[in-house]
Structure formats: C-alpha cells, structure tokens
C-alpha cells in the first residue's frame, strides 16, 4: 500500500527504522563515524565503510583504521612529498580511501576541508580527544613506522595550513620498540618535537633544493633519497629533512543516536544551494598575453596591471608584448600594452588594435560606451596623447573629447595609475600635477589626483586632490559624497595624510571629518612621531559601510565608514603586499590580490611576527575573496596559482557576468580535475553554480517481498545529477537511476527524493510518501 502523507503530518527527528545498530557496510546502515562502527562491532576490520553525519548530508565511503589504539580512526590524507595546504585538498576521496598505503599512495591525496568538517559534524578540531594522528614511515623500505599525535590550542574548523604555524598544546612521538611515548608541549603545526632526528615534525616546503614540496618532514638528521620506491624522499645533494610517506587520521567519536538531522514536513525539505562565490578552479585558458613590451621586469612592469569592460569585451592592460593561445606561442600576434578579450569565451578580439608606446595601468568603461585608458604612454596610434586616452571600444581609435595628464616638475613624466567612474565624473589617480583638455590651453591643478567632468569632457578646475606623492588607487563612494585615494603620499594640502586620504566630492576637495588615520602593520616613526617606512598603500575601495585598504607589509585592513574605526585585519605570511582590490556588482564580495603564496592570517594586524592571535590561518595563492558585509575571509575560494617572478596579482576585476579576472605576472593555474594549465598574464574564475536542480516528480513507494521500491521521473538535466533518497529525516542512498530498492523498514517510514548536481546544489525534495 502507498499513500501521500497528509499536509498536517510532520515527521520527527527520530530514526524511522528499527534496524540494527549502524555497521557502515551499506548506505542504508551508514554509521556516524569509524568509532561507532567499532563500538557496534568490536571485530570490525580495517577497511572502507559508509559514514554519514548531518554535515556530510549523504553517506560517503571512507577508510577506517580499526586496529590502532582500539580503532575508530578515519583516514583524511596520505602521501609522501607534495602535500598541499588548500581548502579543497588534493586528488579525490576515492584515492584516499581506496589506496591508503603502498608506493601507489606516494602522490598525496587529501580530503577537502569541507568533507573533513562533515566527518566532525562541524565539531571543533581542538576538541578531539586524541588530537591529530600522523603515521610516518621511519625507513626507506617502509618496514618501520612511527606514531605522532598533536593537539591544537585553538582550531575550530579543519585546515591543511600546517605550515602556517597553528599553536599546539601538546604532542607525542612513539617509535617501534619503545615502551612509552615521548611527550612535549608547545610548538606549532609547522615545527614541533624534541630533537633534530625522528622526533620532530617540520611541515614546510623547503627551499629550491627541496623543490618547494611540502611534507611531514623529519629533522635535520634524517635523510632520504629520490628512489621512486623509497618511503623517505629527499632530493639528491640534500641532507636531512626527509619527507616520509605519511598518513593522517582523526578519531571523531560520533554516535548516530546523538546527531540531530532536524525535521522534514510532509511537503518536503527546501532546496540547498551554495553561495555564488568564484569557483576555485580556473576557467580554461583560451588566450593570454606574454612578453615584456618595454623590456623591463619587476613588480612595476608585470604583464597585466589593469582590466576594464565596455561593449561586450574585457580590456586587459599592462606591459605585455603579445597575445597568444598557448605557452609555446600558438596564434601569437604582436599587440603590446592593450588588448581586448570577449566576455564568456575569453577569445582575443582581433579587431581592436590600438598602438601605444607605453604601459597601460588603468582602464574604465565610460557611461557613453567609450573606454578610458591611463598609464605611461605618450602616444596613441601615432598621435601625442599623454597618460590618458578615450578610445572607441570596437576599433581602438581615439574617440570624442580628449584629456592629457601633465607633470610640470623638471624631468618628470606623467603617469596614471587608476580610474574610477562615479556619477558624471572620472576620478584619476597617479603621478601628475595637471589635467588638461587636449583642445585647450586651460588646465586644472590636480596634484596626484583629480577628476574629469564626463558631461563636458574637461578636467574639473575646482577639484584638486592636492597630494604630495603618487596615488596608486582611487575609489569614489557609491553614495557620491567622497573619493578615497591610496598611495605613497604623506600630505593632503597642509594636512598630514599618510598613504590614504578621504576627500569630499564637493568643490575644493576638502578632507572628510573625522580625519582618517590608517593603521599600518609594520610602521616606523620619524622624530615628529609620524609613521614612515613600510606604510605605503596600493589599493582602496568602499563597500557599503566598510572601507578597505591594502598595501605594505602584507596588510588588508577594513574601517568603519562613519568614524574610520579599524574593524578587521588580515596579514599574509609568507608573502607580500596587497596590490589590488575589486568589488563585485552588488558589493557583497571583494577580491584582493598580492604577491603572497602561502597563508592569510585573519584578525591579525602586525608583521613580521607570526600572528599567534589570528583567529584563522588559511591558504592564499596570489588572490583571495572576502565577504564585504562581514569582513570575513571567504576561505572556500582557494585557487592554486603560480607567477613568473612572484610579483603576483596587480589587477582584479569582476566583469558583468560575475567572472573574476586576476592579472599580474601569472603563468599557471589549476582548473577542474586538478589539471594545471598555462595562464598568460591573467586567469579567470567563474562564479560557482548556485542554482538548484529541478525537483523530481512522480514519486511512488511500493513495499514488496521484504524490500521497498521507489520510482520517480527523471528531471530534464538528469545527465548531470545524482538523486538522493531520504527515509525519515536522513539520506539513505544516492543513485543516478530513477529508481531505488531499499531494505524494508520494520516501522512505518516516509520517503522523499531530491536531485543533487555536480556542484553540490540540492533541489527541494518531493512531498513525503509513506509506506
């Protein structure tokens, strides 16, 4: 008999079946942890078991060590050299569980932090009774093994950023034949132990001889070799710090009876979608840029320095010499300093061919459809045009009224570094003293900052930023009342304004009250008490009530718009200065780039000391994303990038489709599936799929012959979805078919079905059907 449940019936949180205790042998009998499997069956052997928690949502298979220390250990990673510190782990869950040991397991595979947090059901990592367990090979043959344990002092969620230096409370080592453990306290996840031999862990990349390959290394007295079958790896010519084959386990002691799966009403559960942050996997490279057009290297001469959009294309500016389709130069065309690429496909737009004689550092699409460019050029298409030009976005020809920048100091050359369009004005940042309409001898004083009236095409003679040094970035508030500058200046008029200024947009450009006095992560002070040294700032933007400032000594800080009170701090270590900030269309996210390739410390405000008070330490690879409302780092966005000389990201931009562009001296990125690709100068990240699949229809539930058969109608995009079958309030199975046969329940049961897409979005469920 089948029946659709009446709308008034609510299914409670208690298990719907009186089945035997969870044994982890099938999806339907998935356990909450390896520990629960072992408690319910003390004879359970090592192997692969089905586990599920409310945070995991659906049953998944994991490898359980049911022997060591009473069993109950779940394997979360294994490998020799080349461990990664990113949120998304390495490889696949299948590689972790199906190849837990042996030489075939030497290439690291690590579960994602999201999956590991699911295994903990969101519980704190520092609350694990046995801490983190690392099993390491002690010899090249893999015949002797060491047991390492360590516990975090303050770790809420799981992270792989061991090299970042999370503070530990305790640790222990036990080698074969030893009657007791060697214990200790203190240290960090990067380095801890009691000697320079086997009883030390150094989680570090090492320098060039070690090829920057992370591992759970021993101390300086333990060497290895490069033999493919050696359980201790170290490059030829090195001594010590061998990377052993290692396995990492956790022992969450979760029991199904203690977990809360919530309740589902008779009409079913709502859809579950992920947020539309940028995908960590880069989009496929179709075209890129290469070469250094002016022959100069260094961070002021990176291949890409700016992005802008107009007419359905994204314009890329910088110091590149060519556009091409591959690292080897396929389709290579000389197109120095400025090129256009199509939205969506990223294909080079061959009809846009401007000719410039210097770098492009600033680009902005204008309300009238033209594109503004700024930089270090002095001619455009053979016509004198200093530092600023307005172009036709289709042809690259000069279009409409033109303005030029001037620098009247002896021997100085005008240099435009950034633009921002707000209302009827184009705000300009850089190194110059005047802005002049090309058709006029009348100029506007604009000391390192000014604006152009887009309704007249002329510089605003009544508005002068009046800074005493180069401005690197400008952002005019969406409220229309302020313009912010960041750079290398110390004065705004007669007022001390170190590296950042907030100016009124009314005539005269007076400073905003109260005065903005930024905080710096590593300042020095002159005799008058003014900050000096590492205080320059490279990027500024306002999002709602929060003002973001990024720059020297690895700092990205945010301030309250009303009173300029410091309200959040981020410092990158190891790494370098923040160099670019961009916000998305609805101002919910900011993307900030830097020459940083290791970690970002949240709630940190000083450098160079490792900030032991940081609330979080996450992976950072040249660019990151932050929640513009809360100020928190969005750690799920964790790309894997490489740069030619490590100068990193000097440009970031969200286009009108939500794609994030990041540019600098970038050369490599990782796309879906872990495939590494060439990315010439810039890389694109599409927003994650955040749309739930359609709801399956036509669910029928038929008990017969000691089983219960469910059938439903496939949804239209069935080729890319998996169906989840829920009994009561929890998922008991996943299948790509449109039917499922479950063991019969000894009690009344209510079933639901929903669709899950490849991105992890889940549809609403069907209404409940009782059997």
């Amino acid at each position: 008999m089948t029946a659709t449940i009446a709308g008034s019936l609510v299914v409670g949180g208690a298990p719907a079946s009186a089945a035997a205790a969870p044994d982890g042998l099938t999806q339907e009998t998935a356990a909450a942890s390896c520990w629960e499997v072992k408690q319910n069956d003390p004879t359970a052997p090592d192997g692969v078991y089905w586990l599920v928690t409310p945070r995991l949502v659906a049953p998944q298979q994991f490898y359980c060590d049911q022997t060591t220390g009473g069993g109950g250990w779940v394997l979360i990673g294994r490998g020799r050299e080349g461990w990664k510190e990113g949120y998304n782990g390495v490889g696949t869950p299948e590689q972790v569980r199906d190849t837990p040991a042996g030489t075939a397991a030497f290439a690291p595979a690590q579960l994602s932090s999201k999956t590991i947090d699911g295994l903990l059901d969101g519980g704190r990592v520092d609350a694990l009774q046995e801490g983190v367990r690392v099993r390491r090979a002690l010899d090249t043959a893999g015949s002797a093994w060491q047991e390492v344990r360590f516990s975090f002092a303050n770790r809420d969620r799981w992270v792989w950023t061991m090299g970042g230096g999370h503070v530990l409370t305790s640790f222990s080592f036990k080698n074969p034949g030893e009657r007791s453990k060697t214990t200790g306290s203190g240290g960090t996840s990067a380095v801890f132990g009691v000697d320079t031999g086997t009883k030390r862990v150094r989680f570090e990349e090492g320098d060039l001889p070690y090829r920057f390959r992370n591992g759970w290394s021993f101390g300086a007295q333990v060497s290895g070799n490069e033999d493919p079958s050696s359980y201790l790896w170290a490059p030829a010519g090195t001594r010590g710090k061998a990377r052993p084959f290692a396995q990492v386990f956790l022992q969450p002691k979760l029991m199904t009876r203690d977990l809360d799966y919530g309740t589902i009403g008779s009409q079913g559960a709502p859809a579950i979608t992920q947020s539309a942050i940028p995908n960590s996997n880069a989009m496929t490279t179709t075209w890129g840029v290469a070469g250094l057009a002016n022959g100069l290297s260094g961070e002021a001469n990176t291949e890409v320095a700016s992005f802008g959009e107009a007419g359905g294309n994204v314009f890329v500016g910088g110091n590149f010499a060519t556009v091409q389709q591959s690292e080897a130069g396929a389709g290579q065309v000389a197109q120095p300093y400025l090129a256009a690429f199509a939205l969506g496909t990223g294909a080079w737009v061959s009809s846009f061919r401007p000719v410039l004689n210097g770098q492009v550092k600033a680009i902005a699409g204008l309300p009238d459809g033209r594109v503004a460019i700024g930089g270090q050029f002095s001619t455009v298409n053979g016509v004198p045009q200093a530092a600023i030009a307005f172009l036709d976005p289709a042809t690259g020809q000069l279009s409409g009224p033109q303005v030029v920048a001037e620098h009247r100091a002896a021997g100085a050359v005008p240099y435009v570094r950034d633009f921002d369009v707000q209302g009827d004005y184009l705000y300009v940042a850089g190194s110059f003293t005047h802005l002049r309409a090309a058709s006029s001898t009348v100029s506007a004083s604009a000391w390192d900052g000014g604006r152009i009236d887009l309704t007249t095409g002329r510089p605003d003679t009544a508005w002068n930023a009046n800074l005493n040094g180069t401005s690197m970035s400008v952002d005019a508030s969406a409220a229309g009342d302020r313009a912010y500058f960041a750079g290398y200046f110390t004065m705004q008029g007669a007022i001390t304004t170190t590296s950042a200024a907030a100016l009124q947009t009314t005539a005269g450009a007076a400073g905003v009250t109260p005065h903005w006095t930024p905080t710096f992560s590593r300042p020095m002070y002159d005799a008058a008490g003014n900050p000096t040294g590492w205080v320059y700032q490279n990027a500024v933007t306002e999002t709602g009530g929060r003002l973001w400032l990024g720059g020297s000594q690895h700092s990205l800080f945010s301030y309250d718009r009303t009173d300029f009170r410091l309200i959040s701090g981020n410092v990158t270590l190891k790494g370098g200065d923040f160099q670019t900030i961009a916000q998305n269309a609805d101002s919910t996210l900011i993307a900030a780039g830097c020459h940083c390739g290791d970690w970002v410390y949240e709630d940190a405000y000083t450098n160079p000391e490792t900030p032991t008070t940081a609330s979080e330490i996450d992976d950072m690879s040249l660019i990151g994303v932050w929640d513009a409302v809360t100020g928190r780092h969005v750690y799920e966005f964790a790309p894997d990038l490489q740069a030619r000389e490590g100068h990193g990201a000097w440009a970031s931009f969200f286009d009108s489709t939500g794609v994030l562009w990041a540019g600098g001296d970038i050369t490599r990125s990782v796309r879906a599936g872990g495939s590494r690709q060439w990315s010439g100068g810039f890389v694109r990240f599409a927003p994650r799929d955040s749309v739930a699949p359609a709801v399956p229809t036509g669910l029928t539930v038929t008990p017969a012959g000691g089983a219960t058969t469910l059938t439903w109608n496939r949804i239209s995009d069935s080729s890319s979805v998996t169906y989840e079958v829920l009994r009561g309030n929890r998922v008991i199975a996943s299948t790509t078919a449109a039917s499922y046969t479950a063991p019969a329940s000894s009690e009344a049961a209510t079933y639901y079905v929903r669709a899950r897409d490849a991105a992890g979005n889940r549809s609403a469920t069907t209404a409940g059907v009782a059997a």
Side-chain angles (χ1 to χ4, degrees), residues 321-533:
T322 66
V323 295
Q324 55 196 60
Q325 293 172 286
S326 71
E327 186 173 19
Q332 187 179 87
V333 177
Q335 181 55 49
Y337 304 120
L338 181 65
F341 299 86
L343 276 173
T345 66
W348 174 54
V349 180
S350 60
S351 58
F352 183 80
R353 300 297 301 276
V355 178
L356 297 99
N357 67 340
Q359 293 191 67
V360 171
K361 294 289 192 178
I363 304 174
L366 301 181
D368 63 7
R370 295 180 299 161
V371 59
I373 63 170
Q376 295 176 322
F377 52 85
S378 59
T379 65
V380 177
N381 301 322
V383 176
Q385 190 68 36
I388 300 174
F390 302 117
L391 306 181
D392 183 307
T395 65
Q397 297 298 309
L398 291 169
S399 176
Q402 298 293 319
V403 173
V404 297
E406 298 177 341
H407 203 307
R408 297 183 182 176
V413 176
Y415 169 30
V416 168
R417 187 60 186 82
D418 195 22
F419 288 141
D420 190 46
V421 175
Q422 192 57 245
D424 293 330
Y425 294 101
L426 174 68
Y427 290 83
V428 186
S431 177
F432 45 84
T433 60
H434 294 76
L435 299 175
R436 179 177 58 83
S439 59
S440 172
T441 59
V442 178
S443 61
S445 293
W447 289 78
D448 301 312
R451 68 185 185 186
I452 299 167
D453 188 331
L454 295 174
T455 63
T456 65
R458 292 178 174 272
D460 186 347
T461 58
W463 203 89
N464 175 10
N466 201 13
L467 304 172
N468 70 338
T470 301
S471 59
M472 296 289 289
S473 175
V474 60
D475 183 64
S477 171
D481 60 341
R482 300 177 179 180
Y484 304 99
F485 286 84
Y488 289 78
F489 49 84
T490 59
M491 302 288 290
Q492 194 264 326
I495 301 172
T496 298
T497 306
T498 306
S499 305
L503 308 181
Q504 298 178 41
T505 55
T506 53
V512 172
T513 302
H515 182 68
W516 182 17
T517 303
T519 297
F520 304 107
S521 63
R522 192 183 177 185
M524 297 182 290
Y525 296 90
D526 61 21
N530 296 314
T532 184

Side-chain angles (χ1 to χ4, degrees), residues 537-561:
Q537 299 294 288
N538 293 315
V540 64
T541 196
E542 182 194 283
T543 55
R546 190 180 293 262
L547 180 60
W548 296 85
L549 184 65
S552 65
Q553 292 307 292
H554 320 175
S555 64
L556 177 68
F557 295 165
S558 75
Y559 302 81
D560 185 276
R561 182 189 195 274

Side-chain angles (χ1 to χ4, degrees), residues 578 648 723 770:
F578 277 89
Y723 299 98

Side-chain angles (χ1 to χ4, degrees), residues 1-2 701-710 740-745 751 771:
M1 180 182 296
T2 65
V701 180
T702 307
T708 300
T709 298
L710 291 77
Y740 185 76
T741 299
S745 171
Y751 292 90

Side-chain angles (χ1 to χ4, degrees), residues 152-428:
F152 291 104
N154 181 27
R155 183 87 306 273
D156 52 355
R157 54 184 171 82
W158 180 261
V159 292
W160 284 109
T161 52
M162 300 300 163
H166 301 270
V167 177
L168 306 184
T169 57
S170 62
F171 57 81
S172 67
F173 296 85
K174 190 173 189 302
N175 291 346
E178 294 181 339
R179 299 181 63 181
S180 61
K181 298 177 181 179
T182 298
T183 61
S185 61
T188 73
S189 56
V191 181
F192 64 90
V194 298
D195 62 19
T196 58
T198 62
K199 294 183 180 178
R200 179 162 296 274
V201 169
R202 301 179 62 96
F203 195 91
E204 61 181 1
E205 288 184 338
D207 50 17
L208 185 59
Y210 289 89
R211 301 170 196 165
F212 304 104
R213 296 182 183 178
N214 260 323
W216 296 89
S217 308
F218 290 110
Q221 303 304 312
V222 182
S223 297
N225 59 57
E226 290 191 89
D227 189 310
S229 64
S230 173
Y231 279 75
L232 301 183
W233 177 87
T238 61
R239 296 185 62 184
K241 303 179 184 179
R243 277 72 164 144
F245 174 77
Q247 300 166 309
V248 180
F249 295 89
L250 300 179
Q251 193 187 55
K253 296 182 177 180
L254 302 180
M255 303 293 283
T256 299
R257 62 176 178 268
D258 300 324
L259 302 183
D260 182 6
Y261 281 88
T263 60
I264 300 178
S266 62
Q267 296 306 305
I272 304 171
T273 58
Q274 61 182 357
S275 59
I277 64 171
N279 198 311
S280 296
N281 295 317
M283 297 174 70
T284 300
T285 297
T286 55
W287 282 82
V289 300
L292 299 170
N294 67 2
L296 301 175
S297 186
E299 62 183 23
N301 297 280
T302 57
E303 288 87 331
V304 173
S306 57
F307 297 107
E309 181 181 341
N313 296 323
V314 171
F315 299 88
V316 178
N319 187 35
F320 58 86
T322 66
V323 295
Q324 55 196 60
Q325 293 172 286
S326 71
E327 186 173 19
Q332 187 179 87
V333 177
Q335 181 55 49
Y337 304 120
L338 181 65
F341 299 86
L343 276 173
T345 66
W348 174 54
V349 180
S350 60
S351 58
F352 183 80
R353 300 297 301 276
V355 178
L356 297 99
N357 67 340
Q359 293 191 67
V360 171
K361 294 289 192 178
I363 304 174
L366 301 181
D368 63 7
R370 295 180 299 161
V371 59
I373 63 170
Q376 295 176 322
F377 52 85
S378 59
T379 65
V380 177
N381 301 322
V383 176
Q385 190 68 36
I388 300 174
F390 302 117
L391 306 181
D392 183 307
T395 65
Q397 297 298 309
L398 291 169
S399 176
Q402 298 293 319
V403 173
V404 297
E406 298 177 341
H407 203 307
R408 297 183 182 176
V413 176
Y415 169 30
V416 168
R417 187 60 186 82
D418 195 22
F419 288 141
D420 190 46
V421 175
Q422 192 57 245
D424 293 330
Y425 294 101
L426 174 68
Y427 290 83
V428 186

Side-chain angles (χ1 to χ4, degrees), residues 22-38 47-66 72-76 111 115 118-120 250 252 254 256 259 261 730-731:
D23 57 16
L25 299 180
T26 67
Q27 293 190 76
E28 296 90 345
T29 61
S33 63
C34 297
W35 174 263
E36 182 175 41
V37 172
K38 192 66 174 180
V48 176
Y49 293 87
W50 290 94
L51 305 179
V52 67
T53 68
R55 190 76 170 259
L56 279 175
V57 184
Q60 300 178 45
Q61 289 182 295
F62 300 92
Y63 181 85
C64 297
D65 174 355
Q66 304 292 35
W73 297 94
V74 59
L75 180 66
I76 62 171
L111 297 180
T115 298
L119 287 166
L120 300 177
L250 300 179
L254 302 180
T256 299
L259 302 183
Y261 281 88
R730 57 180 282 190
V731 178

